[in-house]
Amino acid sequence: MEFSEHIKTANVEDVVLRQPLHPPYRGTLCITGHHLLFSDREENSSRQLLLLLRNIDAIEKSVENLQAYSGRVANAGRKERTSGSSGTITIKCKDRQVLQLDIPGMEQCLNIAHSIEALSSLDCVAEMYPFFYRPSDLSLPQQWGLNSHERLYAQIKSLSDRWRLSSINEDFSVCPSYPQSAIVPCDVDDDMLRKVAKFRQGGRFPVLCYFHKKNGMVIMRSSQPMTGANRKRCREDELLLQAVIDSSEKGYIIDTRSGQQAQQARMTGGGFESKSIYSSWKRLHRQMERGKALQESLVKLVDACSDESHNMDRWLSRLENSKWLSHVQTALSTAGLVAECVERDGHSVLVHGSEGADCSLLISTLAQVIMDPCCRSLEGFLALLEREFIQAGHPFQQRCARSAHSHARLQQESPIFLLLLDCVWQVWRQFPLALGFSEALLLRLASEAYASDYGTFLCNSEQERSVSTDGLVIYLAKSSQLLFFKTHISRSALGVKSKTHCLFQALLRQTEKYSNPLYEPTELAIWPSVHPQSLQLWRGFFLRWTQQARYLEEAQEEIRNMVNEWGKAGLQLMTS
């Protein structure tokens, strides 16, 4: 379907735009296939709004008839009666911005609202804006991304000969959500890996994601073992985990489910590692919310932040009831536990929940930020995100389809990545000198994950970014239910990596904007406090379009300018 089929009214004059931190102004509204464009109609004015339609989470519309009497006199001495209509569209964006458009004419208002609703919810990846974004100062990269996975293996290879880079998943047949290569123990061959993959949910067999240079301990991650109610075993899985540790060592399994949830998973074919079988591993349960529960927590928090009653008791009560900061606390404390096992106790760790593509990635990423100084630089942090979320198969397309304002029924949305960025912001706030990037980077990433000009967060896995499956879709209506079947009939290249720009490479071209001017690298681990009084609401994001947040941005910019001036002055002294 062409974009033009969704656009009944392309341009509307005399529209009033109301947006946070700006006075209302009148101008021309234009809708394209991917953007909402508003331009001030006053001469010599540069005020305009360019809003990516994908950024729109929900709209609310209202229309009213206008009736009045003009100054003209009709027959019998009566004034002539005139009528008209107008409408208002409230646009709620995924980046927390709320806009209002006052549109003359009921029909025009309804047409604009219909176009926005249709174009902001397109599901076809190939129709999304990153495939059309062609800035004049950029060319499509021959190398897409930062090659962080291969770089990690090169670092490990120089330190240890116990690990190898397997290409078993080169055609994505072993695990559709994994990248084409994985770091595994040298003692485990590819035939064993295939059997382990069949034993782990979704084929996500244990892979190395972090090697601790100080003591050689590692962090592994995977999905749950499919033991089922019959306590099924997999000898190859047991040998793989034993190969991770020497016979004299002990490892820890951090399960991001409660013990009860892990037991219940056995009834549906899942399960956990039995203590009697995996005797060298100690299992610890740290329950973390995910899915619908986490999404509802975000919705409650955003609603609380939109409360204009200015009642402090009510605000604090709603903040607490959202439980968002509790999720932040749980994530940081669980990551801290993993870091303690590796850094302080000298033991390797396996992290998993059920699918291993959400909380497991969150915890492994945070643990590396705590322990590894390389992951705290600007480039190192972006490489970490690429390795642990993009390449590791976090389903961005599903998790970030909608945000907190959407009226659509929750399906697979879940703000795991936003929770990660919030946790990193907490670390950044507690250790302002230890991280080489600024809050501006975290804010940019939070926005880009939901709506972007770049292809980095498109799709749900590396396989989907490489190829797209065309299919025959058959809809059958039966008993008021819509059944959906999809039969694969061919494969064709989607070309995300060849036809879109890479966000991370673009960010590295703007290091001055996103680097931390106060950065002082340290080789030590940093241990964030998780006491309730140590955790704060991420005002820069959740209160982003308020005057208070604007003051914080201005303060950060002033600090950056001061540090830059000091650096220039110091350089002049050295050269004089």
Side-chain angles (χ1 to χ4, degrees):
M1 179 178 290
E2 296 292 334
F3 297 126
S4 58
E5 296 181 31
H6 295 295
I7 304 175
K8 296 183 178 180
T9 301
N11 297 280
V12 182
E13 299 288 345
D14 209 30
V15 175
V16 176
L17 170 65
R18 307 176 194 276
Q19 61 183 138
L21 307 177
H22 295 281
Y25 57 99
R26 192 178 303 270
T28 302
L29 179 68
C30 177
I31 291 186
T32 69
H34 294 103
H35 289 93
L36 190 71
L37 174 63
F38 185 90
S39 300
D40 192 339
R41 69 179 188 179
E42 295 182 8
E43 294 185 9
N44 302 322
S45 175
S46 61
R47 292 185 299 180
Q48 68 174 20
L49 170 72
L50 183 64
L51 179 66
L52 190 62
L53 289 171
R54 190 72 183 172
N55 189 18
I56 297 176
D57 203 32
I59 71 168
E60 298 172 356
K61 54 184 179 292
S62 62
V63 293
E64 61 178 335
N65 290 320
L66 302 176
Q67 293 186 340
Y69 291 93
S70 71
R72 295 171 56 188
V73 179
N75 294 335
R78 292 177 300 174
K79 289 186 177 180
E80 183 178 34
R81 186 176 184 181
T82 61
S83 63
S85 61
S86 69
T88 297
I89 298 177
T90 301
I91 298 175
K92 297 182 177 181
C93 300
K94 296 173 183 176
D95 63 359
R96 306 283 85 82
Q97 185 176 192
V98 178
L99 309 172
Q100 181 177 309
L101 297 170
D102 297 335
I103 302 174
M106 181 187 302
E107 182 178 356
Q108 293 187 120
C109 178
L110 294 177
N111 286 344
I112 292 294
H114 171 79
S115 299
I116 293 175
E117 288 176 333
L119 293 170
S120 64
S121 58
L122 295 176
D123 292 327
C124 179
V125 174
E127 293 179 351
M128 295 181 182
Y129 185 60
F131 285 92
F132 300 84
Y133 179 56
R134 295 293 181 268
S136 58
D137 59 333
L138 293 177
S139 58
L140 290 175
Q142 294 182 346
Q143 174 188 316
W144 201 88
L146 307 178
N147 276 339
S148 54
H149 196 79
E150 288 74 13
R151 288 166 58 184
L152 173 64
Y153 175 67
Q155 296 171 3
I156 295 173
K157 187 177 180 181
S158 65
L159 299 171
S160 173
D161 58 359
R162 293 181 54 201
W163 304 91
R164 69 183 182 92
L165 188 66
S166 171
S167 299
I168 186 176
N169 200 42
E170 188 173 13
D171 59 355
F172 303 104
S173 61
V174 175
C175 179
S177 62
Y178 266 2
Q180 294 173 290
S181 58
I183 303 174
V184 295
C186 284
D187 296 339
V188 180
D189 60 35
D190 285 352
D191 288 336
M192 294 177 64
L193 288 179
R194 289 186 181 90
K195 295 178 181 179
V196 175
K198 293 178 180 179
F199 182 65
R200 294 277 172 172
Q201 181 169 341
R204 295 177 68 89
F205 56 89
V207 296
L208 183 147
C209 62
Y210 175 66
F211 181 91
H212 199 47
K213 299 176 182 178
K214 294 180 181 178
N215 55 23
M217 298 299 104
V218 300
I219 298 176
M220 309 284 289
R221 48 173 166 73
S222 70
S223 60
Q224 67 176 339
M226 305 300 286
T227 57
N230 297 326
R231 301 178 185 272
K232 180 182 176 182
R233 293 181 60 176
C234 176
R235 181 59 178 166
E236 289 77 14
D237 188 78
E238 297 163 20
L239 291 175
L240 189 156
L241 291 189
Q242 189 60 47
V244 173
I245 58 177
D246 294 332
S247 58
S248 60
E249 294 179 347
K250 178 177 66 174
Y252 285 92
I253 297 173
I254 306 298
D255 194 325
T256 59
R257 306 166 293 180
S258 66
Q260 182 180 5
Q261 289 173 332
Q263 288 282 358
Q264 291 174 345
R266 291 175 52 201
M267 300 300 103
T268 55
F272 53 89
E273 295 82 0
S274 171
K275 182 177 180 181
S276 60
I277 298 174
Y278 297 85
S279 57
S280 299
W281 292 82
K282 182 177 181 179
R283 192 176 71 253
L284 302 174
H285 292 277
R286 291 295 183 271
Q287 182 181 0
M288 296 186 62
E289 296 292 351
R290 67 205 80 199
K292 184 177 180 180
L294 191 60
Q295 181 74 9
E296 290 178 344
S297 176
L298 175 64
V299 171
K300 291 179 180 179
L301 176 58
V302 170
D303 286 344
C305 292
S306 303
D307 189 344
E308 298 180 353
S309 65
H310 304 293
N311 185 308
M312 182 58 69
D313 291 338
R314 174 183 169 87
W315 152 248
L316 293 175
S317 176
R318 296 189 68 178
L319 175 62
E320 182 179 4
N321 290 337
S322 74
K323 298 183 180 179
W324 181 262
L325 288 178
S326 296
H327 300 318
V328 172
Q329 182 184 43
T330 301
L332 283 172
S333 61
T334 304
L337 173 62
V338 172
E340 275 192 59
C341 292
V342 175
E343 166 83 14
R344 292 180 174 175
D345 299 338
H347 297 296
S348 293
V349 175
L350 169 65
V351 182
H352 75 70
S354 52
E355 297 179 358
D358 291 295
C359 293
S360 302
L361 306 183
L362 167 65
I363 298 307
S364 65
T365 302
L366 287 176
Q368 292 178 65
V369 171
I370 291 172
M371 288 187 291
D372 190 355
C374 296
C375 294
R376 300 182 212 134
S377 67
L378 174 58
E379 182 176 2
F381 181 65
L382 294 177
L384 174 66
L385 295 182
E386 181 184 75
R387 188 172 66 245
E388 292 299 286
F389 269 82
I390 307 298
Q391 296 178 341
H394 179 65
F396 280 97
Q397 202 73 25
Q398 295 173 350
R399 299 294 184 261
C400 301
R402 294 292 183 183
S403 187
H405 294 299
S406 175
H407 304 303
R409 188 175 66 178
L410 299 180
Q411 296 180 355
Q412 299 186 62
E413 292 86 357
S414 184
I416 287 288
F417 189 67
L418 179 60
L419 180 60
L420 167 74
L421 297 177
D422 196 329
C423 291
V424 174
W425 177 80
Q426 304 287 344
V427 176
W428 177 85
R429 189 186 62 81
Q430 293 185 26
F431 299 91
L433 308 183
L435 275 65
F437 48 88
S438 65
E439 182 183 15
L441 177 72
L442 301 177
L443 292 172
R444 175 78 183 271
L445 291 170
S447 298
E448 295 282 347
Y450 285 90
S452 179
D453 296 342
Y454 300 86
T456 299
F457 294 114
L458 288 180
C459 303
N460 297 305
S461 65
E462 286 291 90
Q463 180 187 29
E464 291 184 11
R465 293 182 192 99
S466 301
V467 294
S468 174
T469 306
D470 296 328
L472 175 64
V473 181
I474 305 173
Y475 292 92
L476 295 177
K478 183 178 180 182
S479 303
S480 73
Q481 292 182 341
L482 194 65
L483 304 181
F484 176 81
F485 298 92
K486 188 171 183 179
T487 305
H488 301 313
I489 58 175
S490 67
R491 300 178 75 87
S492 61
L494 183 62
V496 170
K497 294 186 176 182
S498 60
K499 298 178 182 178
T500 71
H501 292 282
C502 174
L503 171 65
F504 293 164
Q505 290 181 343
L507 293 176
L508 289 178
R509 296 189 191 96
Q510 306 174 56
T511 54
E512 184 176 346
K513 182 177 181 181
Y514 295 113
S515 61
N516 179 6
L518 303 178
Y519 180 44
E520 292 183 4
T522 174
E523 293 297 316
L524 301 176
I526 53 177
W527 302 96
S529 171
V530 295
H531 293 296
Q533 60 269 28
S534 299
L535 303 177
Q536 293 186 9
L537 176 70
W538 186 11
R539 291 170 295 176
F541 180 77
F542 292 106
L543 300 177
R544 189 172 187 175
W545 305 101
T546 64
Q547 194 62 52
Q548 182 187 36
R550 177 61 58 87
Y551 292 150
L552 291 173
E553 290 181 12
E554 293 174 354
Q556 289 294 327
E557 185 62 27
E558 185 64 26
I559 291 175
R560 179 181 300 278
N561 293 335
M562 291 172 61
V563 172
N564 288 338
E565 289 299 322
W566 292 339
K568 292 177 182 178
L571 183 61
Q572 291 176 354
L573 288 175
M574 292 175 62
T575 56
S576 60

